[in-house]
Short mmCIF file of all heavy atoms in Angstrom, two decimals:
data_model
loop_
_atom_site.label_atom_id
_atom_site.label_comp_id
_atom_site.label_asym_id
_atom_site.label_seq_id
_atom_site.Cartn_x
_atom_site.Cartn_y
_atom_site.Cartn_z
N THR U 235 -16.84 -21.59 -49.09
CA THR U 235 -15.94 -21.94 -50.20
C THR U 235 -14.52 -21.49 -49.87
O THR U 235 -13.56 -22.24 -50.08
CB THR U 235 -16.42 -21.25 -51.50
OG1 THR U 235 -17.77 -21.61 -51.72
CG2 THR U 235 -15.57 -21.65 -52.68
N ALA U 236 -14.41 -20.28 -49.34
CA ALA U 236 -13.08 -19.76 -49.00
C ALA U 236 -12.42 -20.61 -47.91
O ALA U 236 -11.21 -20.85 -47.93
CB ALA U 236 -13.18 -18.30 -48.58
N LEU U 237 -13.22 -21.07 -46.95
CA LEU U 237 -12.68 -21.94 -45.90
C LEU U 237 -12.20 -23.25 -46.50
O LEU U 237 -11.10 -23.74 -46.20
CB LEU U 237 -13.75 -22.23 -44.84
CG LEU U 237 -14.00 -21.14 -43.80
CD1 LEU U 237 -15.28 -21.43 -43.02
CD2 LEU U 237 -12.81 -21.00 -42.84
N ALA U 238 -13.02 -23.83 -47.38
CA ALA U 238 -12.64 -25.10 -48.01
C ALA U 238 -11.37 -24.95 -48.84
O ALA U 238 -10.52 -25.83 -48.88
CB ALA U 238 -13.79 -25.62 -48.86
N ASP U 239 -11.24 -23.76 -49.48
CA ASP U 239 -10.06 -23.50 -50.32
C ASP U 239 -8.86 -23.05 -49.49
O ASP U 239 -7.77 -22.88 -50.04
CB ASP U 239 -10.37 -22.39 -51.35
CG ASP U 239 -11.43 -22.80 -52.35
OD1 ASP U 239 -11.74 -24.01 -52.41
OD2 ASP U 239 -11.95 -21.92 -53.05
N GLY U 240 -9.07 -22.78 -48.22
CA GLY U 240 -7.98 -22.26 -47.39
C GLY U 240 -7.55 -20.86 -47.81
O GLY U 240 -6.40 -20.46 -47.61
N ASP U 241 -8.48 -20.09 -48.38
CA ASP U 241 -8.14 -18.76 -48.90
C ASP U 241 -8.38 -17.70 -47.81
O ASP U 241 -9.45 -17.12 -47.71
CB ASP U 241 -9.00 -18.48 -50.14
CG ASP U 241 -8.60 -17.21 -50.86
OD1 ASP U 241 -7.89 -16.37 -50.26
OD2 ASP U 241 -9.02 -17.05 -52.03
N VAL U 242 -7.34 -17.47 -47.03
CA VAL U 242 -7.47 -16.61 -45.85
C VAL U 242 -7.69 -15.15 -46.24
O VAL U 242 -8.44 -14.42 -45.59
CB VAL U 242 -6.26 -16.78 -44.91
CG1 VAL U 242 -6.39 -15.90 -43.68
CG2 VAL U 242 -6.11 -18.24 -44.48
N ALA U 243 -7.05 -14.71 -47.34
CA ALA U 243 -7.24 -13.33 -47.80
C ALA U 243 -8.70 -13.09 -48.19
O ALA U 243 -9.29 -12.05 -47.86
CB ALA U 243 -6.31 -13.03 -48.98
N GLU U 244 -9.29 -14.06 -48.87
CA GLU U 244 -10.71 -13.95 -49.25
C GLU U 244 -11.60 -13.93 -48.01
O GLU U 244 -12.57 -13.16 -47.94
CB GLU U 244 -11.07 -15.14 -50.16
CG GLU U 244 -12.56 -15.31 -50.46
CD GLU U 244 -13.07 -14.35 -51.53
OE1 GLU U 244 -12.32 -13.44 -51.94
OE2 GLU U 244 -14.23 -14.53 -51.96
N LEU U 245 -11.26 -14.75 -47.02
CA LEU U 245 -12.03 -14.73 -45.77
C LEU U 245 -12.02 -13.34 -45.16
O LEU U 245 -13.04 -12.85 -44.66
CB LEU U 245 -11.45 -15.74 -44.77
CG LEU U 245 -11.66 -17.22 -45.11
CD1 LEU U 245 -10.86 -18.09 -44.13
CD2 LEU U 245 -13.14 -17.59 -45.05
N GLY U 246 -10.86 -12.70 -45.20
CA GLY U 246 -10.75 -11.35 -44.65
C GLY U 246 -11.65 -10.37 -45.38
O GLY U 246 -12.36 -9.58 -44.75
N ARG U 247 -11.65 -10.42 -46.70
CA ARG U 247 -12.51 -9.51 -47.48
C ARG U 247 -13.98 -9.73 -47.13
O ARG U 247 -14.75 -8.79 -46.99
CB ARG U 247 -12.29 -9.72 -48.98
CG ARG U 247 -10.98 -9.15 -49.50
CD ARG U 247 -10.92 -9.19 -51.04
NE ARG U 247 -10.82 -10.54 -51.56
CZ ARG U 247 -9.68 -11.20 -51.77
NH1 ARG U 247 -8.52 -10.62 -51.49
NH2 ARG U 247 -9.68 -12.42 -52.25
N LEU U 248 -14.33 -11.00 -47.00
CA LEU U 248 -15.73 -11.32 -46.69
C LEU U 248 -16.10 -10.87 -45.28
O LEU U 248 -17.22 -10.41 -45.03
CB LEU U 248 -15.97 -12.83 -46.85
CG LEU U 248 -15.81 -13.35 -48.29
CD1 LEU U 248 -15.83 -14.88 -48.30
CD2 LEU U 248 -16.89 -12.80 -49.21
N MET U 249 -15.16 -10.99 -44.35
CA MET U 249 -15.43 -10.53 -42.98
C MET U 249 -15.66 -9.01 -42.97
O MET U 249 -16.56 -8.51 -42.29
CB MET U 249 -14.27 -10.90 -42.05
CG MET U 249 -14.22 -12.38 -41.71
SD MET U 249 -12.65 -12.89 -40.94
CE MET U 249 -12.75 -11.99 -39.38
N ASP U 250 -14.83 -8.29 -43.72
CA ASP U 250 -15.01 -6.83 -43.81
C ASP U 250 -16.41 -6.48 -44.32
O ASP U 250 -17.09 -5.59 -43.79
CB ASP U 250 -13.97 -6.22 -44.76
CG ASP U 250 -12.60 -6.05 -44.10
OD1 ASP U 250 -12.52 -6.10 -42.85
OD2 ASP U 250 -11.61 -5.85 -44.83
N PHE U 251 -16.82 -7.17 -45.37
CA PHE U 251 -18.14 -6.87 -45.95
C PHE U 251 -19.24 -7.22 -44.95
O PHE U 251 -20.19 -6.45 -44.75
CB PHE U 251 -18.32 -7.64 -47.27
CG PHE U 251 -19.26 -6.97 -48.23
CD1 PHE U 251 -18.78 -6.32 -49.37
CD2 PHE U 251 -20.63 -6.97 -48.01
CE1 PHE U 251 -19.63 -5.69 -50.26
CE2 PHE U 251 -21.49 -6.33 -48.90
CZ PHE U 251 -21.00 -5.69 -50.02
N ASN U 252 -19.09 -8.40 -44.33
CA ASN U 252 -20.08 -8.83 -43.33
C ASN U 252 -20.21 -7.79 -42.22
O ASN U 252 -21.32 -7.45 -41.79
CB ASN U 252 -19.65 -10.20 -42.76
CG ASN U 252 -20.74 -10.92 -41.99
OD1 ASN U 252 -20.66 -12.13 -41.76
ND2 ASN U 252 -21.77 -10.22 -41.54
N HIS U 253 -19.08 -7.24 -41.80
CA HIS U 253 -19.13 -6.21 -40.75
C HIS U 253 -19.93 -4.99 -41.19
O HIS U 253 -20.73 -4.44 -40.42
CB HIS U 253 -17.73 -5.79 -40.32
CG HIS U 253 -17.77 -4.76 -39.23
ND1 HIS U 253 -18.07 -5.07 -37.92
CD2 HIS U 253 -17.61 -3.42 -39.25
CE1 HIS U 253 -18.09 -3.97 -37.19
NE2 HIS U 253 -17.80 -2.95 -37.97
N GLY U 254 -19.73 -4.57 -42.43
CA GLY U 254 -20.47 -3.42 -42.93
C GLY U 254 -21.98 -3.68 -42.93
O GLY U 254 -22.76 -2.81 -42.54
N LEU U 255 -22.37 -4.87 -43.34
CA LEU U 255 -23.81 -5.17 -43.36
C LEU U 255 -24.37 -5.24 -41.94
O LEU U 255 -25.50 -4.81 -41.69
CB LEU U 255 -24.07 -6.48 -44.12
CG LEU U 255 -23.69 -6.47 -45.61
CD1 LEU U 255 -24.15 -7.77 -46.28
CD2 LEU U 255 -24.27 -5.27 -46.34
N LEU U 256 -23.58 -5.75 -41.01
CA LEU U 256 -24.03 -5.75 -39.60
C LEU U 256 -24.15 -4.32 -39.09
O LEU U 256 -25.09 -3.99 -38.35
CB LEU U 256 -23.04 -6.54 -38.73
CG LEU U 256 -23.08 -8.07 -38.92
CD1 LEU U 256 -21.88 -8.74 -38.28
CD2 LEU U 256 -24.38 -8.65 -38.35
N SER U 257 -23.23 -3.45 -39.51
CA SER U 257 -23.33 -2.03 -39.15
C SER U 257 -24.61 -1.43 -39.68
O SER U 257 -25.31 -0.70 -38.98
CB SER U 257 -22.15 -1.24 -39.72
OG SER U 257 -20.93 -1.71 -39.20
N ALA U 258 -24.92 -1.75 -40.94
CA ALA U 258 -26.16 -1.23 -41.53
C ALA U 258 -27.37 -1.69 -40.72
O ALA U 258 -28.32 -0.93 -40.54
CB ALA U 258 -26.28 -1.69 -42.98
N LEU U 259 -27.32 -2.91 -40.21
CA LEU U 259 -28.43 -3.45 -39.42
C LEU U 259 -28.45 -2.91 -38.00
O LEU U 259 -29.28 -3.31 -37.18
CB LEU U 259 -28.38 -4.98 -39.42
CG LEU U 259 -28.69 -5.65 -40.76
CD1 LEU U 259 -28.37 -7.14 -40.72
CD2 LEU U 259 -30.15 -5.43 -41.16
N GLY U 260 -27.51 -2.02 -37.70
CA GLY U 260 -27.56 -1.29 -36.43
C GLY U 260 -26.97 -2.03 -35.24
O GLY U 260 -27.21 -1.65 -34.10
N VAL U 261 -26.15 -3.07 -35.50
CA VAL U 261 -25.64 -3.84 -34.37
C VAL U 261 -24.15 -3.64 -34.11
O VAL U 261 -23.57 -4.34 -33.27
CB VAL U 261 -25.96 -5.35 -34.50
CG1 VAL U 261 -27.46 -5.56 -34.58
CG2 VAL U 261 -25.26 -5.96 -35.70
N SER U 262 -23.52 -2.69 -34.83
CA SER U 262 -22.14 -2.40 -34.47
C SER U 262 -22.17 -1.35 -33.35
O SER U 262 -23.21 -1.10 -32.74
CB SER U 262 -21.33 -1.92 -35.67
OG SER U 262 -19.94 -1.91 -35.31
N GLY U 263 -21.05 -0.79 -33.05
CA GLY U 263 -20.98 0.21 -31.99
C GLY U 263 -19.69 0.97 -32.15
O GLY U 263 -18.81 0.57 -32.92
N ARG U 264 -19.59 2.07 -31.44
CA ARG U 264 -18.43 2.94 -31.59
C ARG U 264 -17.12 2.21 -31.27
O ARG U 264 -16.16 2.28 -32.02
CB ARG U 264 -18.60 4.14 -30.66
CG ARG U 264 -17.61 5.25 -30.92
CD ARG U 264 -17.93 6.44 -30.04
NE ARG U 264 -17.20 7.62 -30.47
CZ ARG U 264 -17.43 8.85 -30.02
NH1 ARG U 264 -18.38 9.06 -29.14
NH2 ARG U 264 -16.72 9.87 -30.46
N SER U 265 -17.10 1.48 -30.16
CA SER U 265 -15.85 0.80 -29.78
C SER U 265 -15.55 -0.36 -30.71
O SER U 265 -14.40 -0.64 -31.01
CB SER U 265 -15.92 0.33 -28.33
OG SER U 265 -17.02 -0.55 -28.17
N LEU U 266 -16.59 -1.02 -31.19
CA LEU U 266 -16.38 -2.13 -32.12
C LEU U 266 -15.80 -1.60 -33.43
O LEU U 266 -14.82 -2.16 -33.96
CB LEU U 266 -17.69 -2.88 -32.38
CG LEU U 266 -18.30 -3.59 -31.16
CD1 LEU U 266 -19.66 -4.19 -31.52
CD2 LEU U 266 -17.37 -4.67 -30.64
N ASP U 267 -16.39 -0.54 -33.96
CA ASP U 267 -15.86 0.04 -35.20
C ASP U 267 -14.43 0.55 -35.00
O ASP U 267 -13.58 0.43 -35.89
CB ASP U 267 -16.75 1.18 -35.70
CG ASP U 267 -17.93 0.65 -36.53
OD1 ASP U 267 -18.11 -0.58 -36.61
OD2 ASP U 267 -18.67 1.47 -37.09
N SER U 268 -14.18 1.11 -33.83
CA SER U 268 -12.84 1.60 -33.55
C SER U 268 -11.82 0.46 -33.58
O SER U 268 -10.73 0.59 -34.16
CB SER U 268 -12.87 2.32 -32.19
OG SER U 268 -11.58 2.61 -31.76
N MET U 269 -12.18 -0.66 -32.97
CA MET U 269 -11.27 -1.82 -32.98
C MET U 269 -11.11 -2.40 -34.39
O MET U 269 -10.02 -2.79 -34.79
CB MET U 269 -11.77 -2.88 -32.00
CG MET U 269 -11.65 -2.47 -30.53
SD MET U 269 -11.95 -3.84 -29.35
CE MET U 269 -13.73 -4.07 -29.53
N VAL U 270 -12.22 -2.44 -35.12
CA VAL U 270 -12.17 -2.97 -36.49
C VAL U 270 -11.22 -2.12 -37.35
O VAL U 270 -10.39 -2.65 -38.10
CB VAL U 270 -13.60 -3.00 -37.09
CG1 VAL U 270 -13.56 -3.03 -38.60
CG2 VAL U 270 -14.36 -4.22 -36.54
N TRP U 271 -11.32 -0.79 -37.21
CA TRP U 271 -10.45 0.07 -38.01
C TRP U 271 -9.00 -0.03 -37.57
O TRP U 271 -8.09 0.00 -38.41
CB TRP U 271 -10.91 1.53 -37.94
CG TRP U 271 -12.04 1.78 -38.89
CD1 TRP U 271 -13.33 2.06 -38.58
CD2 TRP U 271 -11.98 1.72 -40.33
NE1 TRP U 271 -14.08 2.18 -39.74
CE2 TRP U 271 -13.28 1.98 -40.81
CE3 TRP U 271 -10.95 1.46 -41.25
CZ2 TRP U 271 -13.58 2.00 -42.17
CZ3 TRP U 271 -11.25 1.48 -42.61
CH2 TRP U 271 -12.55 1.74 -43.05
N ALA U 272 -8.76 -0.15 -36.26
CA ALA U 272 -7.38 -0.30 -35.78
C ALA U 272 -6.77 -1.57 -36.37
O ALA U 272 -5.61 -1.58 -36.81
CB ALA U 272 -7.36 -0.34 -34.25
N ALA U 273 -7.57 -2.64 -36.40
CA ALA U 273 -7.08 -3.90 -36.96
C ALA U 273 -6.78 -3.75 -38.45
O ALA U 273 -5.71 -4.14 -38.93
CB ALA U 273 -8.12 -5.00 -36.74
N ARG U 274 -7.71 -3.14 -39.18
CA ARG U 274 -7.50 -3.00 -40.63
C ARG U 274 -6.29 -2.14 -40.91
O ARG U 274 -5.49 -2.45 -41.80
CB ARG U 274 -8.74 -2.38 -41.28
CG ARG U 274 -9.93 -3.33 -41.30
CD ARG U 274 -11.16 -2.62 -41.83
NE ARG U 274 -12.34 -3.48 -41.76
CZ ARG U 274 -13.59 -3.05 -41.83
NH1 ARG U 274 -13.83 -1.74 -41.99
NH2 ARG U 274 -14.60 -3.88 -41.77
N GLU U 275 -6.14 -1.05 -40.17
CA GLU U 275 -5.01 -0.17 -40.42
C GLU U 275 -3.69 -0.82 -40.01
O GLU U 275 -2.62 -0.44 -40.50
CB GLU U 275 -5.22 1.19 -39.73
CG GLU U 275 -6.38 1.94 -40.38
CD GLU U 275 -6.47 3.41 -39.99
OE1 GLU U 275 -5.73 3.84 -39.08
OE2 GLU U 275 -7.27 4.13 -40.61
N ALA U 276 -3.77 -1.79 -39.10
CA ALA U 276 -2.56 -2.53 -38.71
C ALA U 276 -2.22 -3.60 -39.75
O ALA U 276 -1.20 -4.27 -39.63
CB ALA U 276 -2.76 -3.17 -37.34
N GLY U 277 -3.08 -3.76 -40.74
CA GLY U 277 -2.78 -4.71 -41.80
C GLY U 277 -3.56 -6.01 -41.74
O GLY U 277 -3.26 -6.94 -42.48
N ALA U 278 -4.55 -6.08 -40.85
CA ALA U 278 -5.36 -7.30 -40.79
C ALA U 278 -5.99 -7.57 -42.16
O ALA U 278 -6.32 -6.64 -42.89
CB ALA U 278 -6.46 -7.16 -39.73
N LEU U 279 -6.15 -8.84 -42.48
CA LEU U 279 -6.76 -9.22 -43.76
C LEU U 279 -8.25 -8.92 -43.76
O LEU U 279 -8.87 -8.82 -44.81
CB LEU U 279 -6.53 -10.71 -44.01
CG LEU U 279 -5.05 -11.11 -44.10
CD1 LEU U 279 -4.91 -12.63 -44.08
CD2 LEU U 279 -4.43 -10.53 -45.37
N GLY U 280 -8.80 -8.79 -42.56
CA GLY U 280 -10.22 -8.48 -42.43
C GLY U 280 -10.55 -8.41 -40.95
O GLY U 280 -9.79 -8.92 -40.13
N ALA U 281 -11.65 -7.76 -40.64
CA ALA U 281 -12.06 -7.65 -39.24
C ALA U 281 -13.55 -7.41 -39.17
O ALA U 281 -14.12 -6.73 -40.03
CB ALA U 281 -11.31 -6.50 -38.55
N LYS U 282 -14.18 -7.96 -38.17
CA LYS U 282 -15.61 -7.75 -37.96
C LYS U 282 -15.96 -7.93 -36.49
O LYS U 282 -15.19 -8.54 -35.74
CB LYS U 282 -16.43 -8.72 -38.82
CG LYS U 282 -16.22 -10.19 -38.45
CD LYS U 282 -17.04 -11.12 -39.35
CE LYS U 282 -18.47 -11.26 -38.90
NZ LYS U 282 -18.62 -11.96 -37.61
N LEU U 283 -17.11 -7.42 -36.12
CA LEU U 283 -17.64 -7.73 -34.81
C LEU U 283 -17.98 -9.21 -34.79
O LEU U 283 -18.23 -9.83 -35.83
CB LEU U 283 -18.87 -6.86 -34.50
CG LEU U 283 -20.17 -7.10 -35.27
CD1 LEU U 283 -21.02 -8.20 -34.65
CD2 LEU U 283 -20.97 -5.82 -35.30
N THR U 284 -18.03 -9.79 -33.61
CA THR U 284 -18.46 -11.18 -33.50
C THR U 284 -19.51 -11.28 -32.41
O THR U 284 -19.35 -10.71 -31.33
CB THR U 284 -17.29 -12.14 -33.23
OG1 THR U 284 -17.82 -13.46 -32.97
CG2 THR U 284 -16.45 -11.72 -32.04
N GLY U 285 -20.61 -11.96 -32.72
CA GLY U 285 -21.67 -12.13 -31.74
C GLY U 285 -22.77 -11.10 -31.92
O GLY U 285 -22.98 -10.59 -33.02
N ALA U 286 -23.44 -10.79 -30.83
CA ALA U 286 -24.62 -9.94 -30.92
C ALA U 286 -24.30 -8.51 -31.29
O ALA U 286 -25.09 -7.82 -31.91
CB ALA U 286 -25.38 -9.97 -29.60
N GLY U 287 -23.12 -8.03 -30.92
CA GLY U 287 -22.74 -6.67 -31.26
C GLY U 287 -23.08 -5.66 -30.19
O GLY U 287 -23.25 -6.02 -29.03
N GLY U 288 -23.16 -4.40 -30.60
CA GLY U 288 -23.40 -3.31 -29.64
C GLY U 288 -22.13 -2.97 -28.88
O GLY U 288 -21.67 -1.84 -28.85
N GLY U 289 -21.55 -3.96 -28.28
CA GLY U 289 -20.24 -3.89 -27.61
C GLY U 289 -19.77 -5.32 -27.51
O GLY U 289 -20.46 -6.22 -27.94
N GLY U 290 -18.58 -5.51 -26.97
CA GLY U 290 -18.06 -6.86 -26.83
C GLY U 290 -16.81 -7.06 -27.65
O GLY U 290 -15.84 -6.33 -27.47
N CYS U 291 -16.84 -8.01 -28.56
CA CYS U 291 -15.60 -8.41 -29.25
C CYS U 291 -15.64 -8.20 -30.75
O CYS U 291 -16.69 -8.25 -31.38
CB CYS U 291 -15.33 -9.89 -28.99
SG CYS U 291 -14.82 -10.24 -27.32
#
Side-chain angles (χ1 to χ4, degrees):
Chain U
T235 305
L237 281 168
D239 295 346
D241 188 343
V242 181
E244 171 78 352
L245 289 172
R247 286 189 291 271
L248 295 170
M249 286 167 66
D250 281 343
F251 208 106
N252 195 162
H253 181 75
L255 297 187
L256 288 167
S257 298
L259 291 170
V261 300
S262 192
R264 192 175 193 170
S265 58
L266 295 175
D267 276 6
S268 170
M269 291 191 288
V270 159
W271 279 112
R274 290 175 184 162
E275 293 194 351
L279 299 169
K282 64 181 277 293
L283 70 85
T284 173
C291 289

